[in-house]
Amino acid sequence: MLGRGHKNKMAKHSVTTTINGDETEFNCDTHNTLMDVLRSELHMTGTKNGCGTGDCGACTVIMNGRSVNSCLVLGVEVDGAEIETVEGMAQGGTLHPLQQKFLDHAALQCGICTPGIITQAKAFLEKNPDPTETELRFGLAGNLCRCTGYDKIIRAVLDAAAEMRANK
Amino acid sequence: MAGLRYEAPNTVDAAIGLLSEVAGAKVLAGGTDLLVQIREEMIDPDLIVDIKRIDETRRIEITPDYVKIGAAMTGAELGENEELAAMWPGVIEAVELIGSWQVQGRATIGGNLCNASPAADSVPAIIASGAKIVVAGPQGVREIPAEEFPKAPGRTALEANEFVVSLVLPVPPKRSGDAYLRFIPRTEMDIAVVGAGVSVSLNEDGTCASARVALGAVAPTALLVKDAIDALLGSKLDDVTLEKLDKAARDACNPIDDKRGTIEYRTKVAGVLVRRTAAIAWERAQKQNG
Ligand SMILES: Cc1cc2nc3c(=O)[nH]c(=O)nc-3n(C[C@H](O)[C@H](O)[C@H](O)COP(=O)(O)OP(=O)(O)OC[C@H]3O[C@@H](n4cnc5c(N)ncnc54)[C@H](O)[C@@H]3O)c2cc1C
């Protein structure tokens, strides 16, 4: 929640949006960010709450095809938008290649940065399916890993990208 | 007790009406500064006016005479417009330096300008381009030269209930080029210690026909540096010119001392950075035979 909650008592909004392909309606106050709505209202806790100021990327979601920090988007702003979160990546019991490669490469330690990084990597690879390591490192510069396990993350994403290209 | 209102009007007039209705109402573009300021309780507005549903703020218009960029266009969107990037590569590289991919998906050119940080990356490049800022308010529409727009840290030339609708850039003549460089201690995700924007147009003989030079992060606002422009005019960017340019940039500095750089350091870097930026703008101008 942004700023002082006391002000928001009379400002309820009814919002309709598409989340991971499903039409979703929710109510929110102006102060509620998209991250608040996802986690507290819709109980989609895959999107993590890190810094709340756009620095760490733990709350990354894809909005109308572009990755954004959901802590810096108001819930009310997503009326009519299409949102993708980490919950939408696995197809049934099959993990997305990015998710599978994170497991294969042990590219996570505490795991709090992982959903944001996987989501950002997906958005990045859609624009740049065959990145150099340097391009990828810039592409993930908005995601901080507090365990500092960056190298394995880079290996996992590059490997997933190769697999995704091969499966095209 | 009033609630925090949110409105997303579809027209410029409706937005002005809303801004006029509630004292201290805040314009919302990409929210990458505004929502951080609300979260940190630096501001506590009663109304947020989201301008992203107003058509004029959300388009790029390229005509033979001018280029008009909607204030609420994001860095990511501007970077994907190849025609614009070919005309004003320096403006686009400056806009694209703002934040991460996630920030790029939201942060707008108008928001960078209106937030009025002395270190805002796009502002020196916008000033160097010779842009005019198109502002709408209760009194109608007016245009402000970009260099007169930032007034102090966090303060702009906007009067009460006005907002920025678009930016108008000239179409560069033949043999023109612009560039923006910033110096940061890291390689990404940091605030400029110095930012330099240069645009030049060359004569057929390779001498400088017109130029604009702007610096960021070395004074309370981004600056248009007149002496640096005079140093370039008529020259071929030889060593003597570069030395004059360097000195003019250093003389224009009035920086702060902070953890990112001392006054002495920022001043020295400003001279070096402006030389490098001018060299890139020059090279682009030489390649651009129109
Ligand atoms: C993680 C992170 C990294 C960042 N990195 C950089 C960086 O490298 N370089 C840099 O320069 N900045 C950086 N920023 C700051 C910020 O992203 C930019 O200043 C951005 O361009 C602001 O645009 P916005 O659309 O998000 O503005 P908003 O937050 O929507 O608005 C900013 C301010 O301007 C006002 N405003 C916005 N649009 C208008 C308008 N059209 N008319 C009148 N007033 C208006 C708002 O009321 C508010 O006061 C960063 C921010 C974050 C969170």
Side-chain angles (χ1 to χ4, degrees):
Chain A
M1 178 129 63
L2 293 180
R4 285 182 239 166
H6 70 257
K7 274 201 167 185
N8 63 20
K9 295 226 165 48
M10 292 155 62
K12 274 282 182 198
H13 307 284
S14 165
V15 176
T16 307
T17 179
T18 304
I19 302 183
N20 300 326
D22 297 327
E23 189 173 295
T24 308
E25 282 177 44
F26 61 82
N27 292 322
C28 69
D29 295 314
T30 307
H31 276 94
N32 295 131
T33 64
L34 174 57
M35 180 186 75
D36 298 331
V37 169
L38 289 170
R39 292 182 55 82
S40 305
E41 192 72 23
L42 303 173
H43 307 292
M44 297 173 71
T45 53
T47 299
K48 300 302 177 198
N49 179 1
C51 66
T53 52
D55 292 295
C56 81
C59 67
T60 301
V61 302
I62 300 174
M63 178 173 169
N64 296 330
R66 293 191 195 277
S67 55
V68 298
N69 294 306
S70 62
C71 72
L72 295 184
V73 178
L74 296 177
V76 56
E77 281 186 81
V78 307
D79 197 40
E82 292 208 14
I83 307 295
E84 295 166 63
T85 71
V86 72
E87 284 91 346
M89 286 186 63
Q91 298 300 316
T94 311
L95 293 177
H96 187 280
L98 279 161
Q99 293 171 312
Q100 186 59 50
K101 293 299 181 190
F102 266 64
L103 286 177
D104 298 348
H105 288 262
L108 62 159
Q109 293 174 54
C110 84
I112 196 162
C113 71
T114 311
I117 294 187
I118 287 181
T119 308
Q120 172 56 24
K122 178 169 185 279
F124 172 77
L125 293 178
E126 271 163 21
K127 302 271 181 202
N128 186 353
D130 191 7
T132 63
E133 178 172 333
T134 302
E135 287 169 346
L136 176 61
R137 285 183 184 271
F138 275 99
L140 296 181
N143 293 81
L144 302 181
C145 167
R146 65 187 184 182
C147 312
T148 71
Y150 292 105
D151 208 64
K152 289 184 172 187
I153 292 169
I154 297 296
R155 299 305 137 223
V157 177
L158 288 173
D159 197 10
E163 182 174 311
M164 288 161 71
R165 287 195 304 276
N167 291 345
K168 260 225 168 123
Chain B
M1 196 186 300
L4 170 58
R5 262 175 83 194
Y6 166 90
E7 300 287 347
N10 295 312
T11 65
V12 170
D13 286 346
I16 295 164
L18 285 160
L19 292 171
S20 309
E21 204 177 291
V22 178
K26 279 287 181 182
V27 169
L28 170 69
T32 60
D33 283 314
L34 186 74
L35 300 188
V36 174
Q37 290 158 9
I38 296 177
R39 180 182 300 276
E40 294 184 343
E41 300 190 3
M42 291 155 68
I43 53 170
D44 189 15
D46 291 317
L47 169 65
I48 288 176
V49 181
D50 184 345
I51 58 165
K52 293 190 294 296
R53 295 190 192 246
I54 303 170
D55 196 44
E56 288 92 322
T57 72
R58 293 281 307 141
R59 60 178 187 223
I60 300 169
E61 198 189 327
I62 299 180
T63 77
D65 306 315
Y66 62 86
V67 179
K68 199 181 231 182
I69 302 174
M73 293 302 289
T74 64
E77 290 165 340
L78 294 174
E80 284 170 12
N81 188 307
E82 285 172 17
E83 206 182 339
L84 186 60
M87 273 185 181
W88 288 107
V91 172
I92 298 305
E93 68 198 352
V95 169
E96 288 196 307
L97 277 175
I98 300 171
S100 57
W101 272 56
Q102 290 94 323
V103 171
Q104 280 283 304
R106 290 272 290 171
T108 67
I109 188 166
N112 198 232
L113 189 67
C114 293
N115 194 59
S117 158
D121 278 304
S122 73
V123 180
I126 291 170
I127 293 175
S129 78
K132 302 267 190 297
I133 313 305
V134 181
V135 167
Q139 257 62 265
V141 177
R142 63 189 179 114
E143 288 191 358
I144 304 172
E147 62 274 21
E148 292 169 20
F149 192 78
K151 290 293 180 204
R155 203 157 56 77
T156 68
L158 287 174
E159 305 269 351
N161 312 323
E162 286 186 327
F163 76 104
V164 175
V165 180
S166 57
L167 291 76
V168 178
L169 279 59
V171 171
K174 273 188 193 175
R175 295 181 296 275
S176 296
D178 75 323
Y180 175 78
L181 287 178
R182 76 170 172 189
F183 181 81
I184 54 173
R186 303 179 67 204
T187 44
E188 176 74 333
M189 300 300 292
D190 206 347
I191 300 172
V193 168
V194 179
V198 174
S199 88
V200 292
S201 299
L202 306 182
N203 293 311
E204 255 173 80
D205 66 359
T207 56
C208 179
S210 66
R212 289 173 66 88
V213 179
L215 287 173
V218 293
T221 69
L223 302 171
L224 182 70
V225 186
K226 296 252 160 57
D227 289 346
I229 297 170
D230 290 341
L232 291 179
L233 288 176
S235 85
K236 282 196 167 175
L237 208 67
D238 49 25
D239 288 348
V240 178
T241 306
L242 283 168
E243 193 43 57
K244 279 194 212 155
L245 180 67
D246 188 319
K247 179 168 189 316
R250 281 184 277 122
D251 288 348
C253 291
N254 173 22
I256 54 167
D257 240 328
D258 76 357
K259 63 181 176 192
R260 286 194 178 75
T262 59
I263 291 173
E264 190 188 352
Y265 183 68
R266 283 177 191 262
T267 306
K268 170 119 202 250
V269 170
V272 175
L273 207 66
V274 89
R275 283 173 179 247
R276 292 183 186 170
T277 314
I280 298 170
W282 219 272
E283 200 184 306
R284 287 179 178 161
Q286 284 166 339
K287 283 193 191 138
Q288 253 254 352
N289 288 311

